[in-house]
């Protein structure tokens, strides 16, 4: 089973090395890496090339947004399973790819695998713990979704149901997961392992403005799929998240 690991980068010289090292250290080697770079001006590309991966593609696009980068990566991928890592996310376990591969091999009808995720700050301190046993499909109405770096998905699902909507700035991953999990009812499995650490403080978590913008986009994403919720219900996700913090 071959994996395609897609990484969108833009001036990530401080974090990309840990990301790539976590891939290099995997005990499962049947993967390709696809980097979509927004024309970084720092040493991001220089650091990537130092790793001398044989199975890597680096492509450049400027000013088209992160969801365009994800879509471009998927289009250029040849793996059966798509993994999308942000440039400051990394595999927490060296057996992550082996674990994912085994789960898909044990159940050939499985479309999506969902792992637990820990969110850390720039000092590697755990800020938030996401255990996916809490997640239920109805929680999409609350604006709540599984964390994207813990999602491992067959490429055929993208080919069948479409890619990320690029006109959504922050909630493209929410809309996509809503579409395939809730609307199209693909088969997924939750595992209790923590396979990925992700950086806390992404676009939707930066400040109150980002939170409000993301709330508006989540409501739009629901409406686009003919589901309706209220801003009050969608903001309830913040209450759920409070119980995940470890500060």
């Amino acid at each position: 089973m071959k994996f395609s690991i897609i990484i969108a980068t833009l001036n990530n010289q401080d974090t990309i090395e840990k990301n790539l090292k976590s891939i290099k250290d995997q005990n499962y080697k049947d993967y390709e890496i696809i980097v979509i770079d927004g024309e970084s001006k720092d040493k991001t590309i220089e650091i990537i090339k130092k790793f001398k991966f044989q199975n890597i593609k680096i492509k450049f696009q400027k000013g088209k947004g992160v969801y365009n980068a994800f879509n471009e990566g998927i289009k250029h991928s040849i793996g059966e399973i798509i993994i999308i890592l942000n440039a400051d996310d990394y595999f927490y376990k060296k057996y992550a790819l082996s674990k994912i591969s085994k789960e898909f091999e044990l159940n050939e009808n499985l479309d999506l695998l969902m792992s637990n995720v820990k969110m850390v700050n720039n000092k590697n301190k755990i800020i938030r713990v996401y255990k996916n046993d809490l997640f239920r499909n109805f929680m999409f109405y609350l604006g709540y979704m599984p964390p994207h770096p813990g999602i491992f998905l067959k490429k055929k699902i993208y080919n069948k149901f479409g890619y990320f909507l690029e006109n959504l700035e922050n909630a493209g991953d929410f809309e996509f997961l809503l579409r395939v999990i809730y609307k199209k009812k693909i088969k997924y499995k939750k595992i209790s392992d923590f396979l990925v650490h992700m950086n806390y403080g992404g676009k939707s978590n930066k400040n109150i403005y980002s939170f409000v913008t993301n709330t508006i986009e989540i409501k739009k994403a629901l409406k686009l799929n003919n589901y309706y919720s209220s801003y009050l219900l969608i903001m309830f996700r913040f209450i759920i998240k409070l119980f995940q913090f470890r500060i």
Side-chain angles (χ1 to χ4, degrees):
M1 178 166 289
K2 190 179 187 67
F3 293 93
S4 292
I5 304 171
I6 297 167
I7 308 168
T9 58
L10 178 61
N11 299 324
N12 297 113
Q13 65 179 15
D14 295 333
T15 60
I16 193 63
E17 185 167 359
K18 180 179 283 189
N19 172 296
L20 295 175
K21 187 177 186 304
S22 78
I23 300 173
K24 192 89 169 179
D25 289 345
Q26 291 297 302
N27 57 23
Y28 187 97
K29 302 298 183 181
D30 193 5
Y31 61 80
E32 64 170 353
I33 301 170
I34 304 173
V35 176
I36 309 294
D37 184 76
E39 296 191 4
S40 295
K41 303 301 181 185
D42 63 0
K43 296 182 179 180
T44 297
I45 299 301
E46 180 182 331
I47 293 169
I48 293 171
K49 290 181 176 179
K50 281 183 179 179
F51 275 82
K52 297 181 179 179
F53 285 105
Q54 298 300 310
N55 48 351
I56 190 168
K57 305 170 187 173
I58 303 175
K59 300 187 178 294
F60 299 93
Q61 58 97 309
K62 183 178 180 181
K64 295 184 179 181
V66 67
Y67 295 119
N68 174 267
F70 292 164
N71 288 341
E72 285 299 306
I74 296 166
K75 290 172 186 176
H76 288 93
S77 67
I78 60 173
E80 297 170 71
I81 306 298
I82 302 293
I83 298 176
I84 296 176
L85 289 180
N86 298 312
D88 46 9
D89 302 335
Y90 57 94
F91 290 118
Y92 179 56
K93 303 284 180 64
K94 293 183 179 181
Y95 61 75
L97 294 183
S98 295
K99 175 71 173 178
I100 298 165
S101 176
K102 183 177 180 180
E103 292 290 344
F104 277 105
E105 289 171 358
L106 287 173
N107 187 348
E108 63 180 20
N109 294 319
L110 186 65
D111 296 315
L112 183 154
L113 188 69
M114 187 187 302
S115 84
N116 291 336
V117 168
K118 291 180 180 178
M119 300 182 185
V120 299
N121 63 13
N122 55 11
K123 295 181 180 178
N124 211 34
K125 179 182 177 182
I126 297 172
I127 301 298
R128 184 180 159 203
V129 175
Y130 189 105
K131 294 184 178 180
N132 60 40
D133 56 354
L134 171 69
F135 175 76
R136 299 292 185 274
N137 285 4
F138 77 86
M139 289 183 170
F140 281 115
Y141 284 100
L142 307 178
Y144 193 71
M145 58 172 268
H148 201 209
I151 295 294
F152 319 111
L153 182 65
K154 285 183 176 177
K155 183 179 179 180
K156 71 176 186 179
I157 298 301
Y158 291 100
N159 293 338
K160 186 174 182 179
F161 298 122
Y163 295 176
F164 296 94
L165 295 187
E166 297 179 15
N167 62 334
L168 294 175
E169 184 179 349
N170 292 328
D173 47 355
F174 175 89
E175 189 281 329
F176 176 78
L177 292 176
L178 168 73
R179 189 187 338 140
V180 299
I181 291 177
Y182 194 79
K183 188 174 186 178
K184 300 301 182 181
K185 304 186 187 312
I186 65 170
K187 186 172 182 180
Y188 71 89
K189 179 181 179 180
K190 298 183 284 188
I191 58 173
S192 60
D193 227 335
F194 287 90
L195 298 185
V196 176
H197 275 191
M198 65 180 292
N199 182 61
Y200 181 77
K203 289 174 68 177
S204 61
N205 294 312
K206 278 184 178 180
N207 49 45
I208 188 65
Y209 174 79
S210 297
F211 180 80
V212 171
T213 301
N214 199 38
T215 299
I216 293 170
E217 285 203 350
I218 286 171
K219 191 170 187 295
K220 179 179 179 181
L222 285 160
K223 186 176 180 181
L224 285 170
N225 287 279
N226 296 315
Y227 301 120
Y228 297 90
S229 185
S230 68
Y231 288 123
L232 184 62
L233 274 177
I234 293 170
M235 287 190 289
F236 188 78
R237 75 190 188 281
F238 184 70
I239 305 299
I240 301 173
K241 291 180 180 181
L242 282 177
F243 290 96
Q244 299 174 342
F245 281 93
R246 295 295 182 266
I247 299 176

